[in-house]
Amino acid sequence: MTTQKPLLLALATGQASLLDEPVRMLIGGELADAASGATFPTYNPATGAVIANVAAGAAADVDRAVQAARAAFGHPTWAKLTPASRGELLWRLADLIQRDADVLARLETTNNGRPYRNTRNGDLPGIIKHFRYHAGWATKLHGTTVPVSTPNHFVYTVREPMGVCGCIIPWNYPLNMVSWKIAPALAAGNTVILKPAEETPLTALWIAELALEAGFPPGVVNVVTGMGETAGAALVAHPNVDKLAFTGSTAVGRKIVEAAAGNLKRISLELGGKSPNVIFADADVTAAARQAVWAILSNAGQNCCAGSRLFVQRHVADQVLDTVVSTMERLRVGNGLDPETQVGPLVSQEQLSRVSGFVAAGRDAGAELLLGGVRPAGVADGGFFLAPTVFGKVQDEMEIVREEIFGPVVCALEFDDWDELIARANDTPYGLASAIWTRDINKAHRFAQAIQAGTVWINTYNMFDPAAPFGGYKQSGYGREMGEAVYELYTQTKTVWVGLNGVR
Ligand code: NAP
Ligand code: MG
């Protein structure tokens, strides 16, 4: 295989600001242009400039990748590999990610905008941990013996891989999303076709090259770059794909379920959220307010778990909002490659326009704009920036409270008592995450019982660990990633009956 890492390295190190050759896909261990020859531009969100043109894969390319993944799935170099060897490959991949962590973090920041201090010091160590955690699972996916009541029979189960897995991921945490999908899929012995988001195709390609370098056979990890409506849709509909793991919006998730019906491929969905972050008056109110800032501003609010509905007990509301606003005012918004930057740009002009539209809708509906809502001072002209934004005097039925904004915009809602709070916090089609800040241990656990969400944080926020399952209630999706639970998504159970009649 030839490598395109030098090309991507030039971008990551700033030696090139626009690549003069197109970035290619990785199919069956080979770099590949789209069959049509088409490309699409990808941007640096901090400047708005095009940084590369990327192969625009479509149905023909997806078909090639599916064939490569199917062939690899059945090939003895992968199919007959022992679980321990699969674990070793994953461990080696983690080593290579560690070796390349600086470059990967820079490339991620260049293509996604997220501050380098977060990609390098937060995401990369977490991703390395994630691969090592799943390396351990490769040897622990055992079946059971079953105590059947049928005479003269012995029954056991084995866990087998699903087969060829399509993985469609969003742009908000590209490297994390790659690792959440491929680490467990590979540990269980599947092969993978990744379709990264059109906005952020670059780091997935680097990881796929590292997988080859680690020793995964060609075709085990394939990346098809391209548009959701073409490449993504072709992967979802493909009759030779066994499993489709999707992370993205609830609207597209619904389309995926319909389009995958043809061969009844298995589906898992990690979708949007509108998470309640609740501060009671008996909390350490100042600490809770400071954390509320990061509950919404992590990744400039482009976070499926963002604490976008900030519920505050009425008699401490002014105190909380003063702290939130004064903390946000002091934050440095800018280019993520600047080490001082705390909040980066939004990922695209489209996302900036969408979020700005919500800000306008909030104002029109009568919400009080306490901070932001505008382009911050001192940022590059072409960059996709929005200042941290706080709305007060918000009503539950306003669009800014109902819809996932996916930007640096928090809505503060005041509440008086427990029953009212729980009813309002649960009054959303979403159910991804939630948080409560209180010193009352009973209240904290009662909240954990009453809230309809896949994750509850108590006196903390945005915490993740490879061992802790993560996923949605209600229209935030189904299936759990991470922890042992993720193997429900990437394995299937075979039951074996052994007749003992005639055995003496
Ligand atoms: P999106 O528009 O739903 O896109 C997600 C992925 O699906 C992209 O790769 C996209 O391709 C592709 N896609 C779009 N239309 C498709 C179709 N018809 N068939 C197949 N694939 C299609 O979401 P996004 O804007 O990238 O990401 C933001 C959303 O992701 C938010 O709602 C956020 O809450 C959610 N999210 C959830 C989690 C979680 O774990 N629950 C984590 C992160 C993000 P294109 O890039 O070409 O559009
Ligand atoms: Mg999109």
Side-chain angles (χ1 to χ4, degrees):
M1 157 193 150
T2 48
T3 173
Q4 62 186 350
K5 282 199 329 204
L7 206 60
L8 299 175
L9 184 66
L11 265 188
T13 55
Q15 282 167 309
S17 52
L18 169 62
L19 298 181
D20 48 17
E21 304 179 37
V23 173
R24 287 179 284 169
M25 305 182 279
L26 196 89
I27 299 178
E30 299 295 332
L31 294 171
D33 293 310
S36 67
T39 61
F40 63 97
T42 192
Y43 298 85
N44 179 341
T47 61
V50 176
I51 53 174
N53 291 292
V54 182
D61 309 288
V62 166
D63 194 51
R64 237 181 98 199
V66 173
Q67 285 179 36
R70 177 62 61 193
F73 183 68
H75 196 279
T77 54
W78 182 242
K80 300 287 181 207
L81 207 61
T82 64
S85 298
R86 287 203 306 273
E88 280 168 23
L89 291 183
L90 281 163
W91 194 270
R92 207 174 300 152
L93 179 52
D95 288 343
L96 296 176
I97 294 172
Q98 192 156 35
R99 181 195 70 190
D100 292 355
D102 286 335
V103 171
L104 276 165
R106 283 187 177 280
L107 195 58
E108 184 91 325
T109 294
T110 305
N111 199 195
N112 163 276
R114 181 165 160 68
Y116 174 76
R117 57 158 69 181
N118 300 127
T119 54
R120 180 65 188 90
N121 304 328
D123 298 349
L124 264 304
I127 286 159
I128 293 158
K129 242 172 42 179
H130 195 84
F131 276 98
R132 298 210 196 286
Y133 172 82
H134 286 290
W137 268 111
T139 48
K140 291 155 197 79
L141 298 170
H142 50 72
T144 55
T145 56
V146 187
V148 292
S149 302
T150 310
N152 294 323
H153 282 83
F154 167 60
V155 176
Y156 65 94
T157 65
V158 282
R159 293 179 79 174
E160 298 189 334
M162 301 296 294
V164 173
C165 300
C167 300
I168 298 182
I169 55 175
W171 43 258
N172 60 338
Y173 295 91
L175 274 171
N176 273 304
M177 295 297 106
V178 169
S179 69
W180 289 19
K181 296 280 180 277
I182 73 171
L186 299 176
N190 299 281
T191 58
V192 170
I193 301 140
L194 262 174
K195 206 302 275 177
E198 66 189 78
E199 291 85 352
T200 54
L202 301 181
T203 45
L205 289 162
W206 190 288
I207 297 284
E209 281 203 26
L210 291 188
L212 284 170
E213 188 181 343
F216 286 94
V220 171
V221 179
N222 307 277
V223 178
V224 176
T225 48
M227 304 296 123
E229 294 73 13
T230 49
L235 190 55
V236 178
H238 203 291
N240 209 4
V241 172
D242 301 299
K243 194 246 154 22
L244 200 289
F246 175 78
T247 299
S249 62
T250 295
V252 174
R254 217 168 269 126
K255 288 190 199 167
I256 303 275
V257 172
E258 287 170 15
N263 71 335
L264 294 177
K265 58 175 66 66
R266 308 303 185 259
I267 300 283
S268 47
L269 301 172
E270 296 284 355
L271 306 178
K274 191 76 189 177
S275 300
N277 182 22
V278 178
I279 301 180
F280 273 90
D282 62 9
D284 176 343
V285 170
T286 305
R290 289 204 184 113
Q291 289 295 315
V293 168
W294 290 108
I296 184 65
L297 288 188
S298 173
N299 209 22
Q302 304 165 115
N303 173 5
C304 53
C305 302
S308 49
R309 289 187 297 147
L310 177 60
F311 284 96
V312 189
Q313 206 161 16
R314 195 173 306 277
H315 55 283
V316 291
D318 287 346
Q319 184 189 345
V320 167
L321 285 178
D322 284 351
T323 305
V324 166
V325 167
S326 62
T327 307
M328 283 190 183
E329 271 171 345
R330 291 197 298 272
L331 296 175
R332 286 280 297 262
V333 183
N335 188 325
L337 289 174
D338 178 344
E340 302 291 306
T341 292
Q342 293 164 290
V343 180
L346 299 185
V347 77
S348 62
Q349 179 57 51
E350 184 189 347
Q351 190 64 11
L352 176 59
S353 304
R354 200 174 159 267
V355 175
S356 303
F358 279 114
V359 172
R363 280 175 140 158
D364 291 348
E368 189 179 338
L369 188 62
L370 300 176
L371 184 73
V374 293
R375 191 177 177 80
V379 293
D381 279 348
F384 310 131
F385 291 96
L386 183 70
T389 300
V390 182
F391 275 116
K393 295 218 176 358
V394 179
Q395 305 302 321
D396 291 11
E397 62 284 357
M398 288 181 183
E399 192 185 3
I400 54 172
V401 179
R402 313 279 336 154
E403 301 283 331
E404 184 184 42
I405 297 177
F406 224 58
V409 181
V410 68
C411 295
L413 299 137
E414 298 178 16
F415 71 92
D416 293 299
D417 67 42
W418 175 264
D419 289 340
E420 171 213 344
L421 179 262
I422 295 297
R424 291 171 64 196
N426 281 334
D427 181 20
T428 165
Y430 294 112
L432 194 56
S434 61
I436 180 170
W437 299 84
T438 175
R439 289 193 175 99
D440 178 341
I441 192 168
N442 296 321
K443 197 185 276 173
H445 287 291
R446 266 170 43 219
F447 180 82
Q449 285 180 354
I451 203 78
Q452 294 157 357
T455 291
V456 182
W457 287 301
I458 297 174
N459 295 328
T460 188
Y461 208 96
N462 273 338
M463 298 311 295
F464 296 90
D465 188 281
F470 176 77
Y473 274 33
K474 302 195 282 186
Q475 291 182 39
S476 289
Y478 43 75
R480 290 291 174 274
E481 294 197 303
M482 305 205 272
E484 185 177 4
V486 71
Y487 289 100
E488 296 293 319
L489 310 186
Y490 293 109
T491 62
Q492 49 194 341
T493 298
K494 181 177 279 174
T495 305
V496 182
W497 285 76
V498 185
L500 301 177
N501 283 330
V503 175
R504 297 276 174 267

